[in-house]
């Protein structure tokens, strides 16, 4: 009789423990993506204004209202630019119908298309450098890193894992033991072999597919990180007050959600059909007499 009464309690306790572990895993995955979207994550995003500095020097952005309008306009085209690239990369990685070869082909095609659409040289180079830094940092945060840690910061210069034999094979897509970022590993192999250039928006989508609990939530977080970085740029370059910048950022939240939802409806051929004025501003930035930012 005692056994009969205790069994439901034990089952209930086990179910609660399982539910808690599952919830904890989801939160840990969410934190993983929040970390790489944080403004202090050292990929170099703070040095890029994505052409906004051109608008400031041409007196197009001079006030709090001007910056709020700029954020609104930026988000109107974001789905066709970085947000769209990130979302499409994440959806390709999470498509269970694709074989490893199919994934490699599609991500290579997306990289080639996105690279061609990055007409401004500074934006293209900035996206590439941020991508490489993101991949290196993501690797170092793995329990089984493929690359040596930077010796200047107290790490070991010894290669802990042989890249050739243990990285994910871009053809077979067999992940190495202990790795939790298989799609990022494949992208790195494609970059190393010259099949892809490597762009930050794409690697963010692949990292989201590997780590984030929900792709849409990850895309919203990524979009927020982009406009948050632009707000920091505006505070320094316009300049506007910190208060005004945060109000403009908060007011843009509905447009962030709209941009992400639009991105989920797009196909690769839809990328780049809008936002020419941002590209022109970024090209003009290359010849500005003086500037604070790299792009």
């Amino acid at each position: 009789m005692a056994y009969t009464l205790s069994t439901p309690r034990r089952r209930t306790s086990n179910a609660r423990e399982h539910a808690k572990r599952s919830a904890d895993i989801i939160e840990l995955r969410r934190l993983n993506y929040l970390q790489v979207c944080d403004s202090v994550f050292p990929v170099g995003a703070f040095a890029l204004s994505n052409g906004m500095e051109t608008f400031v020097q041409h007196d197009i952005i001079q006030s709090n209202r001007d910056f709020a309008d700029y954020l609104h306009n930026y988000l109107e085209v974001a789905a066709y630019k970085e947000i769209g690239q990130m979302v499409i990369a994440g959806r390709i990685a999470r498509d269970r119908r694709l074989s490893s070869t199919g994934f490699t082909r599609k991500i290579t095609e997306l990289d080639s298309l996105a690279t061609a659409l990055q007409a401004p040289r500074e934006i293209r180079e900035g996206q590439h450098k941020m991508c490489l830094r993101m991949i290196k940092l993501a690797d170092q945060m793995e329990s089984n890193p493929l690359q040596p840690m930077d010796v200047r910061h107290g790490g070991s210069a010894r290669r802990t894992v042989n890249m050739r034999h243990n990285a994910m094979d871009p053809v077979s897509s067999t992940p190495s033991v202990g790795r939790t970022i298989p799609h990022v590993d494949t992208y790195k192999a494609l970059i190393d072999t010259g099949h892809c250039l490597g762009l930050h928006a794409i690697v963010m989508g692949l990292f989201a597919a590997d780590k984030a609990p929900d792709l849409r939530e990850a895309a919203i977080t990524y979009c927020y990180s982009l406009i948050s970085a632009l707000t920091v740029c505006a505070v320094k370059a316009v300049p506007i007050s910190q208060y005004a910048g945060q109000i403009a950022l908060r007011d843009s939240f509905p447009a962030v959600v709209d941009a992400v939802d639009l991105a989920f409806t797009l196909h690769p051929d839809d990328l780049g059909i809008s936002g020419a004025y941002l590209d022109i501003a970024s090209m003009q930035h290359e010849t500005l007499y003086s500037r604070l930012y790299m792009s």
Side-chain angles (χ1 to χ4, degrees):
M1 188 67 176
Y3 174 78
T4 303
L5 291 174
S6 64
T7 299
R9 293 178 181 176
R10 186 179 298 112
R11 289 176 179 173
T12 300
S13 176
N14 290 340
R16 288 175 179 172
E17 290 177 2
H18 177 73
K20 183 180 183 304
R21 284 197 298 269
S22 297
D24 288 346
I25 290 172
I26 290 173
E27 292 307 321
L28 288 172
R29 295 183 68 184
R30 182 174 288 112
L31 286 170
N32 274 315
Y33 202 75
L34 283 173
Q35 180 183 15
V36 301
C37 287
D38 195 290
S39 60
V40 300
F41 196 69
V43 295
F46 67 91
L48 309 177
S49 78
N50 289 300
M52 186 181 69
E53 192 173 15
T54 301
F55 293 124
V56 173
Q57 293 207 23
H58 289 177
D59 295 331
I60 296 173
I61 301 179
Q62 295 181 290
S63 65
N64 300 343
R65 182 69 260 171
D66 292 339
F67 174 66
D69 291 341
Y70 169 81
L71 275 188
H72 176 77
N73 292 333
Y74 176 87
L75 289 169
E76 279 190 330
V77 302
Y80 303 103
K81 297 173 77 65
E82 290 91 345
I83 302 304
Q85 295 170 24
M86 179 267 179
V87 167
I88 291 173
R91 295 181 72 181
I92 290 173
R94 288 198 170 179
D95 188 347
R96 296 180 180 273
R97 299 168 300 175
L98 286 177
S99 65
S100 59
T101 303
F103 167 75
T104 298
R105 176 178 58 80
K106 281 185 171 290
I107 212 66
T108 301
E109 291 174 351
L110 178 62
D111 180 272
S112 297
L113 174 63
T115 298
L117 292 173
Q118 300 288 354
R121 176 182 56 80
E122 291 180 342
I123 298 296
R124 185 171 61 253
E125 292 178 352
Q127 280 275 324
H128 175 60
K129 291 177 181 178
M130 289 168 61
C131 174
L132 297 185
R133 291 168 184 161
M134 169 65 189
I135 290 174
K136 182 175 182 179
L137 286 163
D139 172 59
Q140 291 300 307
M141 292 187 294
E142 289 287 286
S143 60
N144 186 23
L146 301 174
Q147 301 177 76
M149 192 180 296
D150 191 340
V151 295
R152 292 174 301 173
H153 295 86
S156 171
R158 180 177 59 86
R159 183 175 293 275
T160 55
V161 178
N162 187 295
M163 182 70 182
R164 178 174 297 177
H165 292 92
N166 292 280
M168 171 179 275
D169 187 325
V171 176
S172 67
S173 290
T174 302
S176 57
V177 177
R179 303 288 290 179
T180 65
I181 49 172
H183 296 100
V184 174
D185 285 345
T186 296
Y187 195 41
K188 182 186 187 305
L190 291 169
I191 295 169
D192 289 345
T193 56
H195 291 87
C196 291
L197 174 67
L199 297 173
H200 185 251
I202 292 178
V203 78
M204 290 297 285
L206 299 179
F207 188 84
D210 288 337
K211 287 287 194 179
D214 180 77
L215 187 58
R216 180 175 180 268
E217 178 183 303
I220 290 173
T221 303
Y222 175 58
C223 188
Y224 169 81
S225 73
L226 294 178
I227 61 172
S228 176
L230 290 175
T231 301
V232 173
C233 290
V235 169
K236 296 178 180 178
V238 176
I240 60 175
S241 68
Q242 293 277 3
Y243 174 82
Q246 290 303 312
I247 294 299
L249 185 63
R250 191 278 315 275
D251 290 346
S252 70
F253 288 171
V256 168
V257 177
D258 290 342
V260 169
D261 287 342
L262 175 58
F264 272 89
T265 69
L266 303 182
H267 300 284
D269 288 347
D270 297 317
L271 296 175
I273 66 173
S274 185
Y277 75 102
L278 291 175
D279 288 342
I280 293 172
S282 296
M283 292 175 185
Q284 292 174 335
H285 187 272
E286 298 172 12
T287 58
L288 289 181
Y289 179 75
S290 61
R291 55 189 187 175
L292 296 173
Y293 298 98
M294 292 176 60
S295 75

